[in-house]
Amino acid sequence: RGGHAVPPHPVWLRLPLDMLHLAMAAIWVGGLIQLIAYLRHDAVTIEHVERYSRWMAFVVAILVATGLYAAYVEIGLDRAALADTTYGRLVVVKSILLIGIVPLALLNRRRNVPGLRGANGAQPNEARRQLRRYVLGEIALLLAVVAATAALIQTPPARVSVEAGLVDADIAFASGAHAQLVLDP
């Protein structure tokens, strides 16, 4: 019953939403990595960057919505589950990192992308360099989000930590194997 790996009930809803969440994260990270490579070699047109920017707004909106649902399922509306559990604190860290990415993405979309066309007196070459810097910043923050997610996956959900009578234990065997034991009265 731990983390992202095994969705709680209702599985029919949570599992597809988790898959959608993972797909959107992969599209965002992969798209940024591809964009930075294309920008480095001047192999992308302004139209491609504008189209990418529009699609990423949609991708990020779906990513945030599915992430909020997953956090609600795993934490609920219990303030103690959010603040007093490792899982809850990791969700807060992940959220803060994502919130840190938003200004970079908005500046890219509103200033650097139009600057590629020379809008508002911007120099296209300087706008391209600035766009590369901001995309690198987004990638760096997203790598931190991935690291927080890796820790989150290995952490028992907040609802497990605060549920009375629930036992969640990791058992290590001499052979090196591990088993997770969950007893739910």
Side-chain angles (χ1 to χ4, degrees), residues 113-128:
V113 173
L116 294 174
R117 288 197 183 278
N120 302 326
Q123 297 296 319
N125 286 336
E126 179 55 32
R128 186 177 287 272

Side-chain angles (χ1 to χ4, degrees), residues 98-135:
L98 283 171
I99 290 168
I101 295 171
V102 171
L104 292 175
L106 286 175
L107 280 172
N108 261 338
R109 186 172 179 155
R110 295 201 174 128
R111 186 175 66 189
N112 297 330
V113 173
L116 294 174
R117 288 197 183 278
N120 302 326
Q123 297 296 319
N125 286 336
E126 179 55 32
R128 186 177 287 272
R129 280 192 294 278
Q130 193 73 357
L131 179 62
R132 277 194 300 255
R133 276 187 241 131
Y134 280 67
V135 169

Side-chain angles (χ1 to χ4, degrees), residues 6 10 41 51 80 84 89 104 142 164 176 178 182:
V6 179
H41 299 291
R51 189 173 3 172
D84 298 338
R89 288 188 295 270
L104 292 175
L142 281 171
H178 287 272
V182 178

Side-chain angles (χ1 to χ4, degrees), residues 131-148:
L131 179 62
R132 277 194 300 255
R133 276 187 241 131
Y134 280 67
V135 169
L136 284 171
E138 280 186 64
I139 291 170
L141 285 171
L142 281 171
L143 290 175
V145 169
V146 169

Side-chain angles (χ1 to χ4, degrees), residues 9 12 22 33 51 53 55 61 73 98 116 123 126 150-153 156:
H9 294 287
W12 64 268
L22 292 171
I33 291 169
R51 189 173 3 172
S53 180
W55 274 104
V73 168
L98 283 171
L116 294 174
Q123 297 296 319
E126 179 55 32
L152 198 59
I153 290 170

Side-chain angles (χ1 to χ4, degrees), residues 18-70:
D18 278 353
M19 298 300 291
L20 183 60
H21 185 78
L22 292 171
M24 295 301 106
I27 289 170
W28 190 13
V29 173
L32 284 174
I33 291 169
Q34 187 175 17
L35 180 61
I36 199 71
Y38 286 154
L39 285 168
R40 189 166 288 139
H41 299 291
D42 292 331
V44 65
T45 66
I46 296 164
E47 290 77 19
H48 288 120
V49 174
E50 288 173 338
R51 189 173 3 172
Y52 171 81
S53 180
R54 282 191 303 274
W55 274 104
M56 286 307 105
F58 176 72
V59 165
V60 171
I62 292 172
L63 184 70
V64 168
T66 55
L68 285 172
Y69 177 74

